[in-house]
Amino acid sequence: MIPSRVEETLPELVPFLRAVQARRPDDGTWCEAWTVRDVLVHQTGNAEELTRVLQACLAGTPVETRGFEREAPYRRMSGPQLWAAFLGHCERLAETAAAAAWDLSPQTEVMWTGRTVKVPFFAEHMREELILHRWDLTGDDPTAVRALDEPWMTEHSVVSVGRPLLVRGRAALDFGPGDEPFEGRLRTPGTDDVVVPADTGGDGCSIRLAAPEGPATIESDAATRVLLLWGRRPADPSPSGACDRKAPEGPCSGATRAFRQRRERACRTPRAGRPFCSQL
């Protein structure tokens, strides 16, 4: 059983766990070249690191955020050990977030991956990770689309995460001295645009929310826009496509294609025993 205080802090945890339980650890996912086990390893590292950094702030001894080397111990674990570690870290994160909400102002700034975030970021970011990586397992089922459509998902991605989302794209731009600046607008009707200007000055790219203005570069529903921000490839980005998307498509490497084929086969194959399974 998941303690009620954990479900209250991380309401997306149980849907994520059920999605993991419904698949084999070596099934492919829509997170490029990752298996279900890879996703769970990553989430366990996320929960641990979010807890570690917030606990250090509470103790008055701030620490630097570690990179993804933090996942290495979990890659060596058996399935049941990994499952237990993930649940344990989520429980500790919920406890730490509750203590921080009691002891610290919500405006308290905490260092996270080279930038400052506010105290509520830590539980909220884990919620976003649960929603996003559940989609990697399930695709566009109603639970995933409802969660991705939530306005806070777009705001958290743009305002709280922001510039780290642009790292890969900024490197690929390869701006030269003679290149013209440009601005992309991701639009969902009835909401602010997500604006991504790029130029040769400063760091090259930025991201913000702004009132709609001029033509949209891409117009889509809110769920698709969040997926695009996080580098996913929804099959149908049109506003009417939210109920029609079956699986992401697009150019992919041979390794990615193999994982996608494995993922598609898994959807048609009767389930065998799964080391991750446990009673919720």
Side-chain angles (χ1 to χ4, degrees), residues 81-123:
Q81 289 172 328
L82 178 59
W83 182 265
F86 176 61
L87 293 179
H89 284 307
C90 286
E91 185 167 349
R92 284 187 283 279
L93 175 57
E95 292 169 351
T96 303
W102 181 263
D103 292 341
L104 301 174
S105 162
Q107 298 304 310
T108 300
E109 294 188 337
V110 186
M111 287 298 298
W112 175 259
T113 62
R115 68 192 193 280
T116 58
V117 297
K118 304 295 177 61
V119 166
F121 167 90
F122 290 85

Side-chain angles (χ1 to χ4, degrees), residues 43 62 121 141 178 229 240 262:
Q43 295 285 59
F121 167 90
D141 70 357
L229 287 172
S240 62
R262 182 189 294 176

Side-chain angles (χ1 to χ4, degrees), residues 34-48:
W34 277 13
T35 64
V36 172
R37 178 182 171 86
D38 292 329
V39 169
L40 191 60
V41 165
H42 176 66
Q43 295 285 59
T44 306
N46 286 337
E48 180 195 15

Side-chain angles (χ1 to χ4, degrees), residues 45-276:
N46 286 337
E48 180 195 15
E49 193 66 5
L50 288 162
T51 303
R52 188 182 76 91
V53 172
L54 187 55
Q55 281 180 337
C57 176
L58 272 168
T61 55
V63 294
E64 293 289 329
T65 314
R66 296 175 299 175
F68 294 119
E69 69 277 2
R70 65 194 184 224
E71 297 174 3
Y74 304 118
R75 297 193 180 280
R76 296 191 291 269
M77 289 182 175
S78 67
Q81 289 172 328
L82 178 59
W83 182 265
F86 176 61
L87 293 179
H89 284 307
C90 286
E91 185 167 349
R92 284 187 283 279
L93 175 57
E95 292 169 351
T96 303
W102 181 263
D103 292 341
L104 301 174
S105 162
Q107 298 304 310
T108 300
E109 294 188 337
V110 186
M111 287 298 298
W112 175 259
T113 62
R115 68 192 193 280
T116 58
V117 297
K118 304 295 177 61
V119 166
F121 167 90
F122 290 85
E124 189 174 273
H125 191 61
M126 191 68 211
R127 292 180 62 198
E128 180 170 60
E129 292 277 348
L130 291 168
I131 290 169
L132 184 68
H133 287 300
R134 184 186 179 280
W135 181 87
D136 289 328
L137 306 182
T138 67
D140 291 336
D141 70 357
T143 298
V145 174
R146 279 195 304 270
L148 289 162
D149 266 332
E150 289 289 331
W152 73 266
M153 281 289 289
T154 298
E155 182 175 357
H156 182 89
S157 299
V158 174
V159 178
S160 298
V161 179
R163 292 184 62 81
L165 291 175
L166 307 177
V167 170
R168 183 180 296 182
R170 185 168 67 240
L173 282 175
D174 192 25
F175 264 147
D179 290 324
E180 292 292 325
F182 66 88
E183 179 179 273
R185 283 182 174 263
L186 307 182
R187 181 166 296 162
T188 294
T191 71
D192 283 343
D193 286 353
V194 175
V195 183
V196 184
D199 57 44
T200 56
D203 291 331
C205 288
S206 60
I207 186 169
R208 69 181 191 275
L209 294 170
E213 180 182 326
T217 309
I218 297 175
E219 186 167 313
S220 72
D221 57 81
T224 296
R225 185 167 65 175
V226 169
L227 292 171
L228 290 171
L229 287 172
W230 284 95
R232 299 326 193 252
R233 298 188 180 108
D236 182 356
S238 66
S240 62
C243 296
D244 299 328
R245 298 192 299 268
K246 298 295 189 294
E249 299 292 347
C252 59
S253 67
T256 303
R257 187 176 298 108
F259 272 89
R260 287 183 175 175
Q261 289 169 349
R262 182 189 294 176
R263 171 71 172 86
E264 289 158 3
R265 285 197 303 271
C267 292
R268 300 190 295 267
T269 304
R271 299 297 175 206
R274 304 179 195 93
F276 292 148

Side-chain angles (χ1 to χ4, degrees), residues 1-15 17 83-84 86-95 98 278-280:
M1 292 291 292
I2 305 298
S4 59
R5 68 182 182 280
V6 179
E7 283 198 73
E8 289 167 5
T9 303
L10 304 173
E12 295 79 14
L13 176 60
V14 169
L17 292 172
W83 182 265
F86 176 61
L87 293 179
H89 284 307
C90 286
E91 185 167 349
R92 284 187 283 279
L93 175 57
E95 292 169 351
S278 178
Q279 294 297 314
L280 296 181

